[in-house]
Amino acid sequence: MDEIPDSHPRAESLRIRHKIIHGMEHNVVAKAGLIAHGRGEAFDYLLGEETTLPAKKAIKAAAAALLLSKYPVISVNGNSAVLTPHEIVELAEVSGAKIEANIFYRSPERLEAIKKVLEEAGAKEVLGVGETANGEIPEISSVRRVVDTRGILIADTVLVPIEDGDRTQALRKIGKTVIAVDLNPLSRTSQLANITIVDNHVRCMPLLVEEVKKLKNTPKEELKKILKNYDNKKVLGEVLKLIRDRLKEIAEKGSTIT
Ligand code: PTJ
C-alpha cells in the first residue's frame, strides 16, 4: 500500500483506515469491519475527532469498574485487534483482565489470526480460541454466544469495543457489567451498556490504560463513589448535546476547515 505523506490533511485518519484494510487482507478484520469502520469515521467527524469531556467521564468510570471487578474480560474482535493490540495487552496487564477473542463473523482461522496479532503485541494468553472456547451464553443470538469457559462465561465485567449490537443486552440480562467503546451514541450497544465510551477506540484505549494506572491504588470506597456518581444516560445525553452544539456553531459560522 502506498505511503501516506505526512502533509496529507487527513494523514492520521488514512493511516488508521489502512490498518483496517491490511487487517482485512490478512483475515483478521471481517469484510463488514470495513463498513463498521466507515460508520465510526462518520460519527467521529460529528464529534470533532477528539476525546470529549463526556468520553473522559466514561473512561474514568470504566477504569473504576475494571478495578472493582473480580473477573474482568476484554472482548476482542477483528477491528479492535488491529487498531490497538498493544493497548489491549497493556490494559489487561494493569487491570488484571483476561483477553478473549470473540467475533461475529466466526471462523477458526480468523480467531487464530486475531490471537497471533495479540501475541505479537505481547499477550501471554488469549482466550476464546481452541478447546476451552466451548462455553455458551444462550441469551446471545449470534455465534458470539460461543465463549470461553475461562473468560466471558464467568466474567463479571466485559469490555466490548466496536460492538455489533446484539450482545450487550444479552450480557446485561445475565448480570454482567458491560463497558462499550462505540463512536455511535445512538447504537443499541451504546444505549444498553452500563458505561459507554463514545470515542474512537484508537484514542480512548491509551487514555483508559492511563486512567487505570492512575486509579490503581485508590481505595475501593472511592472507586465505588466514582461509579455511583456516574450516569450513563446523562453522559450519552451530553454527547448528543455536544454534537448538536458543534453542528449549530459550524452552521452559523461556516466551515471549520482552516
Ligand atoms: O470481527 P467481527 O467478526 O466480530 O466483526 C466486527 C464488526 C465490527 C464487523 C461487527 O461487530 C459489526 O458489524 O459492527 P457494527 O454493527 O457495524 O457496529 C460497530 C460499531 O462500532 C458502530 O456503531 C461504529 O460506529 C462503531 N465503531 C467503528 N469503528 C470504531 C467504532 N467505535 C469506536 N472506535 C472505532 N474505531
Side-chain angles (χ1 to χ4, degrees):
M1 206 169 289
D2 291 340
E3 188 82 1
I4 299 159
D6 288 337
S7 59
H8 192 289
R10 303 220 27 94
E12 190 49 31
S13 174
L14 288 179
R15 281 195 193 106
I16 294 170
R17 196 178 264 196
H18 283 196
K19 273 191 194 174
I20 293 282
I21 296 170
H22 184 264
M24 194 211 71
E25 287 167 349
H26 291 80
N27 205 23
V28 181
V29 172
K31 280 186 189 142
L34 266 64
I35 297 165
H37 187 76
R39 176 152 45 172
E41 281 183 344
F43 278 100
D44 213 7
Y45 254 82
L46 299 178
L47 290 164
E49 294 178 304
E50 59 183 24
T51 304
T52 64
L53 197 63
K56 285 179 189 160
K57 287 185 194 172
I59 288 170
K60 188 169 179 183
L66 287 170
L67 289 169
L68 283 170
S69 300
K70 288 197 172 67
Y71 207 88
V73 173
I74 305 167
S75 180
V76 181
N77 68 3
N79 289 47
S80 60
V82 298
L83 290 178
T84 61
H86 293 97
E87 289 83 354
I88 289 167
V89 172
E90 200 180 352
L91 182 63
E93 271 168 21
V94 295
S95 68
K98 299 276 180 194
I99 301 174
E100 176 164 344
N102 181 272
I103 55 180
F104 186 80
Y105 298 99
R106 193 179 170 86
S107 77
E109 294 78 19
R110 274 197 70 220
L111 286 169
E112 283 295 344
I114 289 170
K115 185 178 177 205
K116 190 163 166 253
V117 168
L118 294 167
E119 282 175 349
E120 280 169 3
K124 292 183 185 67
E125 183 183 46
V126 179
L127 303 174
V129 188
E131 277 168 18
T132 52
N134 60 4
E136 199 171 304
I137 298 180
E139 284 82 357
I140 300 176
S141 56
S142 69
V143 283
R144 294 186 100 171
R145 90 176 72 87
V146 182
V147 291
D148 201 299
T149 49
R150 296 170 301 158
I152 291 172
L153 192 70
I154 56 169
D156 53 355
T157 299
V158 190
L159 175 69
V160 294
I162 316 177
E163 173 77 8
D164 58 72
D166 77 319
R167 195 164 61 131
T168 299
Q169 192 170 18
L171 290 175
R172 287 217 51 189
K173 225 190 222 168
I174 57 171
K176 300 194 192 288
T177 297
V178 179
I179 303 167
V181 182
D182 193 336
L183 276 161
N184 177 4
L186 303 170
S187 74
R188 283 178 64 77
T189 298
S190 287
Q191 297 287 325
L192 294 169
N194 298 78
I195 298 168
T196 309
I197 305 171
V198 181
D199 195 14
N200 198 319
H201 188 64
V202 173
R203 284 193 304 268
C204 101
M205 281 299 279
L207 296 176
L208 185 53
V209 169
E210 284 316 305
E211 196 63 43
V212 170
K213 282 185 189 165
K214 210 166 95 187
L215 293 179
K216 210 169 164 56
N217 297 316
T218 305
K220 277 207 160 113
E221 285 314 310
E222 280 297 312
L223 296 176
K224 283 182 191 164
K225 224 187 259 172
I226 293 172
L227 277 189
K228 196 165 169 271
N229 291 333
Y230 180 80
D231 180 343
N232 205 46
K233 270 207 166 61
K234 191 165 162 253
V235 169
L236 284 172
E238 287 172 11
V239 173
L240 290 170
K241 281 184 196 146
L242 212 132
I243 292 174
R244 178 197 65 190
D245 294 346
R246 191 167 174 272
L247 293 181
K248 191 165 175 273
E249 200 187 322
I250 295 168
E252 283 164 6
K253 280 199 186 146
S255 165
T256 54
I257 296 168
T258 50

